[in-house]
Amino acid sequence: MSLLALALYSLASVADAGSGKRGLVFTPNPQYPEDNKLWRPQDGDLTWYYNYGSMPSPVYSDIPQGQFDFVPMMWGVGSDPTGTTWLDEVKGVISNGRNITHALAFNEPDAPNSWGGSDVAPHKAAQAWVANFEPLAKMGVKLGLPAVTGAPSGLDWLKQFLGNCSDIVSNGGKTKNCTWDIIPVHWYDNFAGLASHIGERRALWPDAEIWVTEYAYAHQDLQPTQEYYNQTADYFDKESYIGRYSYFGAFRSKNSSVGANAPFLNDAGKLTDIGAWYLGKSATGVNPQSKAFSVGPSGLLAGSIAALAGLVVASI
């Protein structure tokens, strides 16, 4: 293969439809309801989604569960940790014909509300788990543990939660453990840190399935943000212990809490390179911080075109 052909192949292969693991963290913006339609699954690119709640999102409610797997989540815990309102809602979804196979628990319970966390004490989370999740396990639903932050304190919180949960189900008798199947991971730093973070979980629970349910390289320049995306997508797709993953970026750049270069959409609602790649499409050349479609290349695309131009010149 010539150098020119190799360069063209590299450009064409940046977009990858994934391995069936790729999902959507759905965070709708009422100002731009048209954006929601962009995430409807096409050709198997996105296979599942969650919205931090117990009920499917109306915009996707017409899509069969087998085509776009809705995963309910109990975001936090109310004033009565033993209340079963959430469980009743999920059972209602199942009764209405939706085959719920997985459920997630508690969004960053080790973080305060001001940081986006649910701020739940481990013992209260354990009470809520026993009341709402253990019954789902008996129905055959696979359960994801609370999704703690990437901070070291997150693992301490998780260990205490599991201990508290064990105490409740043991009820003073023979020691039992709460039922769970999946370890969710949140990460917003570099790839080396992500790999180490996942490795730490695997060392403690080697047989557990990992779901990376929120991730991005937050508040970085465009090129390292794109490089990180491609590196992580390749890693997640190849490793069998990664069951599913969902990038935190399905919103416009100006609405981003993880930096202007991480989102799937620019300020005008056009797909960025990362947004297009995530959907299994080719790079768009849209700068995330632009207010309209960018006709000039950006980030990795610009670098690839520059390299290609160099090859062309060298071959003349």
Side-chain angles (χ1 to χ4, degrees), residues 139-171:
M139 296 170 62
V141 177
K142 293 186 176 182
L143 307 178
L145 285 173
V148 296
T149 67
S153 58
L155 184 58
D156 295 335
W157 188 102
L158 195 57
K159 289 178 178 178
Q160 186 175 339
F161 162 81
L162 289 170
N164 293 151
C165 207
S166 178
D167 290 343
I168 295 172
V169 296
S170 299
N171 195 27

Side-chain angles (χ1 to χ4, degrees), residues 210-296:
I210 304 289
W211 285 20
V212 185
T213 52
E214 281 188 26
Y215 77 102
Y217 198 13
H219 305 289
Q220 303 295 321
D221 291 338
L222 182 56
Q223 185 165 336
T225 302
Q226 292 179 331
E227 290 172 347
Y228 173 87
Y229 167 76
N230 283 311
Q231 189 175 18
T232 51
D234 181 65
Y235 167 55
F236 296 153
D237 286 337
K238 287 181 178 178
E239 295 296 344
S240 60
Y241 53 81
I242 303 293
R244 295 184 179 186
Y245 63 93
S246 49
Y247 185 93
F248 190 71
F251 37 77
R252 299 191 182 201
S253 181
K254 60 186 175 183
N255 302 121
S256 174
S257 62
V258 291
N261 291 317
F264 290 162
L265 301 173
N266 75 345
D267 290 345
K270 301 295 184 181
L271 284 172
T272 63
D273 289 349
I274 290 178
W277 293 333
Y278 199 73
L279 296 180
K281 303 176 185 296
S282 299
T284 61
V286 172
N287 188 308
Q289 299 185 54
S290 64
K291 295 182 180 180
F293 185 83
S294 173
V295 296

